[in-house]
Amino acid sequence: MISDSTYQRIYRAVARIPRGRVATYGQIAEVAGIPRGARQVGYALAALRQDKGVPWHRVINARGEISARAEPEFEGLQRAMLQSEGIRFDPQGRLSLERYRWRPGSDGPAKPSKPVVRSKSRARPLRAAAPKRH
DNA sequence: GCAATGACGCTCT
DNA sequence: CAGAGCGCCATTG
């Protein structure tokens, strides 16, 4: 194997997504131990030749839409597979992330009290860019 | 080892 | 809400 760390971890994380649920690339990256490695997740999935038990179709981008791929037919396939799992798409081809997003840790014992909507305080407020010219 | 790529994400305009 | 730009990170040439 060329490498059995990052990719393996990513596949593992993707395999954790329950049926009828979806996860974003960034989320999978985080679960796989690669924060901000959303692109790597997509890269790893692209390298995935076959299913191999990895539900790649359950991984979508943060916009709740299927990421554009070189082969448009795969996009339709992914959408069809998600629909067959009970997921509904909007006229624009987008789904409700708030409704279908997989919650790592919630697959086991239910977590009734825990809104944990978004604790992303951004540990790196480097926002020094501020291209606010003039 | 450096430069380019890429199934992404966030912020600003 | 939609579009455009920069940033991230690992793999490949």
Side-chain angles (χ1 to χ4, degrees), chain A residues 4-5 12-13 29 31 35 59 62 68 77 87 91 95-96 103 117 125 134:
Chain A
D4 49 81
S5 306
R12 195 77 157 195
V31 173
V59 185
L77 176 63
I87 294 178
L95 59 83
S96 178
R103 201 89 92 179
V117 201
H134 203 329

Side-chain angles (χ1 to χ4, degrees), chain A residues 52-68:
Chain A
K52 294 180 176 175
V54 181
W56 56 270
H57 60 280
R58 292 179 191 149
V59 185
I60 59 175
N61 58 28
R63 291 159 152 193
E65 194 167 51
I66 295 171
S67 295

Side-chain angles (χ1 to χ4, degrees), chain A residues 7 45 57 96 132:
Chain A
Y7 279 31
L45 291 179
H57 60 280
S96 178
K132 199 154 91 112

Side-chain angles (χ1 to χ4, degrees), chain A residues 78-122:
Chain A
Q78 181 172 7
R79 179 173 155 178
M81 289 169 79
L82 289 176
Q83 284 180 333
S84 70
E85 292 190 352
I87 294 178
R88 294 228 219 136
F89 284 81
D90 287 15
Q92 291 187 316
R94 288 160 47 162
L95 59 83
S96 178
L97 270 178
E98 294 298 310
R99 180 174 178 176
Y100 298 113
R101 174 149 358 199
W102 168 54
R103 201 89 92 179
S106 294
D107 56 323
K111 243 197 300 174
S113 316
K114 195 72 173 341
V116 64
V117 201
R118 208 76 111 72
S119 308
K120 249 178 159 359
S121 353
R122 212 106 186 68

